[in-house]
């Protein structure tokens, strides 16, 4: 056993964690890239999908493919039941009060746009302020900029310190009676910083503001409890929690969702439609789910969450912390390597730049050695500019990564740096 960290686990969940058994659920992990075994460390962009989730698609399309909610036939009933079962699973996954507070979207991006276009368009105007943070993904910046251009409100930015942690003192000072919304990520995709969203929610509420939490990077790594956070809105994506692309979730407080106008019109979201007296809308969640949704994807998301819960969300997070610690220590010895994001509370993301080596070159060359990392601005350009860089290399960990893979990555990184310098 080469890694003492396994022999002396900090937590029981790590000791019991059987990463080799769990890897067998992921067929893609057996493939080779450029003749080398794949080491997949781009999980913050998209996590891989277990066989149990992949099978949902062939099962759905070979047995009960039908449009949901409208049909009276058996296939439609079965598809509707499976689709709605995911809503209940997501309710439990987030500890929402009621399944009707779970709205299916195409992903986090669409969930945030829904809040902007429905709640934001009807509630925000000149004189109002929306606070976002320097850590935001473009998907929690641009929807607010688009709306601000139209509605005339102001966007203010909560700064970060040198470690990439939010400046909470500055946050307190930015909050005022003008603040209508705080829109902040739970975990930063670019740096891995875990933000104190519960504390932020309490402070926002003291000023009468709402809080929207972008949970795209938190849901893969930690148990989320929207009631404990007291989030007004919470969003996440299926493809980062071992599920498929094309599906995501918006949670909202019931009274807010009920008061919000629809943002897209079409089938499924109406009660009655008339040319004479206009249209009345369905209740939540259907009011926000116009058109045929990604049915198989939603069902598969339910299966992915079941898979995660089978392993244990907290156990996954604890394992990733072991991987992150090991990787951080291992790369710290590399000359000229600078880690961006050294906040005390971090999820499994390692972002770095190497003096004298372009991140893009590192990404391309390390791929030749079978290692998949992400290079670029990670859809967080303001943050990277704040740190004075255009791009970083980012290795990000998931449930199925191993300490040996971390070692392979670090050895490959050393080789590549030697080639480009
Ligand atoms: N927010 C964060 C923090 C993210 O990491 C991502 C995905 N990189 C998104 C939002 C957008 O998610 P999606 O592309 O699935 O809509």
């Amino acid at each position: 056993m080469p890694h003492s960290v396994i022999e002396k686990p900090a937590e029981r969940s790590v000791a019991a964690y059987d990463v080799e058994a769990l890897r067998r659920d992921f067929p893609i992990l057996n493939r080779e890239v450029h003749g080398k075994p794949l080491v997949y460390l781009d999980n913050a962009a998209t996590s891989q999908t277990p066989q149990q989730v992949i099978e949902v698609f062939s099962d759905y399309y070979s047995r009960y493919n039908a449009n949901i909610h409208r049909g009276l036939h058996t296939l439609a009933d079965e598809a509707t039941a499976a689709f709605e079962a995911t809503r209940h699973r997501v309710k439990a996954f987030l500890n929402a009060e009621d399944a009707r507070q779970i709205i299916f979207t195409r992903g986090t991006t669409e969930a945030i746009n829904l809040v902007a276009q429905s709640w934001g368009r009807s509630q925000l105007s000149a004189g109002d302020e929306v606070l976002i943070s320097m850590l935001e993904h473009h998907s929690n910046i641009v929807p607010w900029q688009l709306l601000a251009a139209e509605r005339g409100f102001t966007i203010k930015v909560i700064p970060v310190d040198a470690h990439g942690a939010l400046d909470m003192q500055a946050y307190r000072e930015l909050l005022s009676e003008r603040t209508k919304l705080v829109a902040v990520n739970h975990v930063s995709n670019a740096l891995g910083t875990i933000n104190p969203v519960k504390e932020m929610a309490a402070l926002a509420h003291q000023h009468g503001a709402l809080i929207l939490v972008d949970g795209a990077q938190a849901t893969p790594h930690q148990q989320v409890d929207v009631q404990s956070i007291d989030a007004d809105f919470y969003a996440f994506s299926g493809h980062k929690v071992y599920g498929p692309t094309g599906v995501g979730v918006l949670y909202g407080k019931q009274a807010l969702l009920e008061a919000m106008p629809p943002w897209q019109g079409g089938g499924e979201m109406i009660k009655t439609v008339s040319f004479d007296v206009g249209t009345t809308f369905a209740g939540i969640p259907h009011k926000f789910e116009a058109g045929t949704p990604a049915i198989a994807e939603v069902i598969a998301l339910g299966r992915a969450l079941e898979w995660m819960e089978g392993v244990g969300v907290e156990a996954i997070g604890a394992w990733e912390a072991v991987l992150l610690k090991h990787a951080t220590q291992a790369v710290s010895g590399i000359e000229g390597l600078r880690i961006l994001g050294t906040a005390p509370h971090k999820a499994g993301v390692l972002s770095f730049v190497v003096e004298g080596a372009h991140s893009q070159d590192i990404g391309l060359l390390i791929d030749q050695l079978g290692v998949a990392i992400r290079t670029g601005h990670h859809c967080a350009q303001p943050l990277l500019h704040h740190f004075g860089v255009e791009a970083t290399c980012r290795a990000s960990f998931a449930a199925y990564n191993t300490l040996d893979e971390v070692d392979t990555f670090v050895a490959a990184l050393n080789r590549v740096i030697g080639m480009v310098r």
Side-chain angles (χ1 to χ4, degrees):
M1 174 136 334
H3 300 291
S4 58
V5 75
I6 294 186
E7 292 154 14
K8 290 185 217 150
E11 298 187 30
R12 265 183 55 216
S13 62
V14 172
Y17 197 83
D18 191 350
V19 67
E20 290 305 331
L22 162 170
R23 283 176 73 81
R24 289 195 280 275
D25 287 342
F26 292 83
I28 205 167
L29 298 179
N30 294 323
R31 74 161 281 183
E32 295 193 338
V33 170
H34 303 299
K36 306 274 188 318
L38 168 67
V39 174
Y40 186 78
L41 299 178
D42 192 19
N43 297 287
T46 289
S47 54
Q48 296 302 342
T49 312
Q51 187 62 33
Q52 296 90 324
V53 174
I54 297 169
E55 276 166 12
V56 169
F57 289 89
S58 63
D59 186 41
Y60 172 79
Y61 284 108
S62 50
R63 286 203 316 111
Y64 62 105
N65 175 26
N67 213 325
I68 55 168
H69 295 138
R70 294 181 273 266
L72 285 178
H73 58 81
T74 302
L75 268 55
D77 272 353
E78 288 178 9
T80 303
F83 183 92
E84 290 301 326
T86 295
R87 208 185 298 277
H88 286 271
R89 187 169 281 283
V90 175
K91 171 205 172 269
F93 183 72
L94 294 179
N95 191 32
E97 298 88 338
D98 192 298
R100 288 173 302 158
Q101 295 167 271
I102 304 302
I103 295 155
F104 291 117
T105 64
R106 280 195 303 121
T108 304
T109 303
E110 194 177 68
I112 296 170
N113 277 277
L114 190 168
V115 177
Q117 293 303 320
S118 171
W119 180 84
R121 186 186 291 277
S122 61
Q123 298 297 319
L124 298 171
S125 52
D128 292 338
E129 290 179 1
V130 169
L131 298 190
I132 60 174
S133 88
M134 183 63 88
L135 290 170
E136 295 319 302
H137 188 278
H138 295 163
S139 62
N140 201 22
I141 301 174
V142 186
W144 305 112
Q145 289 178 328
L146 290 171
L147 194 65
E150 199 186 306
R151 303 290 306 157
F153 61 86
T154 305
I155 297 171
K156 294 208 161 167
V157 181
I158 310 161
V160 290
D161 67 15
H163 297 285
L166 282 186
D167 180 341
M168 289 296 282
Q169 186 52 34
Y171 172 55
R172 282 190 187 85
E173 285 163 15
L174 281 167
L175 282 165
S176 75
E177 75 286 352
R178 289 184 299 281
T179 314
K180 292 291 175 299
L181 178 74
V182 176
V184 69
N185 60 35
H186 197 164
V187 172
S188 153
N189 67 306
L191 305 184
T193 311
I194 302 174
N195 292 316
V197 288
K198 186 177 163 116
E199 190 186 341
M200 295 181 82
L203 287 164
H205 292 150
Q206 277 170 25
H207 289 82
L210 302 184
I211 186 161
L212 177 152
V213 183
D214 166 358
Q217 298 292 343
T219 38
H221 312 295
Q222 68 184 75
Q223 198 79 57
V224 170
D225 183 333
V226 288
Q227 293 191 65
S228 162
I229 295 169
D230 201 12
D232 297 290
F233 300 106
Y234 196 97
F236 73 94
S237 296
H239 67 100
K240 297 185 198 282
V241 289
Y242 310 97
T245 54
V247 60
V249 166
L250 175 70
Y251 157 89
K253 283 194 179 152
Q254 187 163 338
L256 284 170
L257 293 175
E258 278 170 351
M260 280 158 54
W263 78 305
Q264 289 180 339
E268 203 57 45
M269 50 76 74
I270 53 88
K271 202 182 279 170
T272 59
V273 178
S274 151
F275 287 130
D276 304 322
V277 293
T279 292
T280 56
F281 302 115
I284 60 167
H286 305 295
K287 180 170 70 175
F288 296 113
E289 293 179 354
T292 302
I295 302 169
E297 284 78 358
V298 166
I299 299 169
L301 170 63
R303 192 68 192 85
L305 298 182
E306 189 183 339
W307 182 88
M308 271 187 89
E309 282 164 346
V311 179
V313 180
E314 293 299 323
I316 292 172
W319 176 246
E320 290 165 345
V322 170
L323 297 171
L324 178 67
K325 191 170 167 206
H326 184 65
T328 305
Q329 279 167 355
V331 301
S332 298
I334 298 178
E335 205 197 308
L337 184 145
R338 175 161 69 106
I339 296 175
L340 277 84
T342 48
H345 301 292
K346 269 188 71 172
V349 170
L350 185 68
S351 223
F352 58 91
V353 288
V354 181
E355 215 180 278
H358 283 294
S359 297
Q360 249 72 4
D361 293 342
I362 294 176
L364 282 169
L365 288 168
I366 208 165
D367 175 64
Q368 296 294 316
L369 303 174
V371 180
I373 61 170
R374 184 141 297 242
T375 52
H377 55 58
H378 316 299
C379 297
Q381 278 183 338
L383 178 67
L384 266 61
H385 288 165
H386 173 76
F387 279 100
V389 296
E390 288 296 324
T392 75
C393 296
R394 182 188 70 186
S396 52
F397 307 109
Y400 41 70
N401 289 126
T402 66
L403 289 158
D404 285 339
E405 285 185 316
V406 173
D407 290 343
T408 305
F409 153 64
V410 176
L413 183 60
N414 269 310
R415 241 180 99 184
V416 162
I417 291 171
M419 286 156 76
V420 295
R421 260 185 184 155

